[in-house]
Structures are given as C-alpha cells and as structure tokens.
Amino acid sequence: PPSTPVVQFPNLRTVRLLNPGGGLLAGPLVQRLDLYIENNALRHKLDTIFELCEKCPRLEHLTLHMVLLPDVLPIQDTPIRASLPHLRYISTMDEREATRRLRLQLDFPKTVQRHRVVILPFGYHEGPTPFNTEAFLVDVMNAAQQFVSDVPGLATLPVGVLEIMMDHNGGNLSIAR
C-alpha cells in the first residue's frame, strides 16, 4: 500500500485518532499521540510510524493499537529510525514481529513505562472440552517473557503493564501472525 501522508500542525499538542483514513497528524509540540485502528485496510507501514515519531520530537505518551502492517522482513541489526528522548509511556498492541521491530528501531529512555497488550487466541475452551488452564497459563507466561525479552536490556526495566486480551471471535487475530 502507498504511504500515508503525515500532516504537520505547528501548535498541536495532543493527537488522538481512530481509523484515520486520509492522513496522520503530527507537530513539533505534540506530547501525546494515541492511534487506534479497527480496520486492517487502514494499517500503516513502519516507515510511516517512524516518520510520524520523527515529526513529534517532544512526544511523552505514545499509544499504537493495531496500527502496524505485518512485517515480513527478517529482523537484523537495524539502525535507530526515530529518537523520542522525552517519552515516558508507550502502549502497543499489534502483531509481535512488527511491534518488536518498532521497539528495536525507536530510541527512548530506559525509564519509559511500558504497557503491552498481548492477544491470545480463544482456543482454550471449545465445545464440550473443558477449559485448558495449563495451556492458558503457559501462553500467558510466554507472553510475559516475550514482553521483557524482545529487546536486549529490556528485561531489567520496570515492566509497567502486561494486558492479556482473549480473542473470542478471531477479529483481533485476523491478520497473519
């Protein structure tokens, strides 16, 4: 898909967008950016998100929920794409590899509070089969471990919030994982 235009507004301080179709808003004074996508057709390339972050150098609060297109490139030694020296809070909910690449290529303080939403398939209870508590807990523990181990040095940082969301009807896991 073509890149989404990032439009700058010089006096904007807060941006909260739900399903933006025509473009993304940014500005040199933006301190809070919340971006939520409910339609897979409106998701964005990582390049667009890095451009957005670069145009918001004073960003303190960043929320990206179901925003990223699935990343098909292998993760290698990748350079920093955007620096957010004032960031204090980041919340992500998305496809794991795209989120990992985002965290690897964003430079932000080690003291940032992280809120990671992990979506697990709701396959623990189907029909007459009893709820598989052990499988559920193993998946929760794996999600928690991935939360802190995706980026070198992240395991020593404060965890913040780990939110586990069950995907009851497959809507949140409709993208390839």
Side-chain angles (χ1 to χ4, degrees), residues 4 59 72 89 109 139 174:
T4 305
L59 205 56
V72 296
Y89 174 89
D139 277 354
S174 62

Side-chain angles (χ1 to χ4, degrees), residues 112-170:
V112 71
Q113 180 185 2
R114 294 164 298 128
H115 181 159
R116 176 78 169 103
V117 182
V118 177
I119 304 168
L120 296 177
F122 195 69
Y124 304 99
H125 180 68
E126 294 180 15
T129 308
F131 182 81
N132 188 338
T133 305
E134 183 178 345
F136 173 74
L137 291 176
V138 166
D139 277 354
V140 169
M141 292 305 295
N142 286 338
Q145 183 60 35
Q146 289 170 2
F147 177 69
V148 297
S149 66
D150 278 347
V151 178
L154 208 55
T156 60
L157 300 179
V159 169
V161 177
L162 174 63
E163 182 176 342
I164 307 294
M165 180 169 64
M166 302 306 295
D167 192 24
H168 293 280
N169 62 5

Side-chain angles (χ1 to χ4, degrees), residues 39-76:
N39 182 334
N40 285 342
L42 298 175
R43 289 170 167 252
H44 302 279
K45 296 178 182 178
L46 274 168
D47 289 345
T48 302
I49 300 304
F50 291 130
E51 178 187 353
L52 182 65
C53 290
E54 287 171 350
K55 291 182 177 179
C56 299
R58 293 189 183 181
L59 205 56
E60 296 178 4
H61 181 112
L62 177 61
T63 301
L64 299 171
H65 285 200
M66 303 306 285
V67 170
L68 303 170
L69 283 169
D71 198 349
V72 296
L73 300 173
I75 294 179
Q76 301 167 340

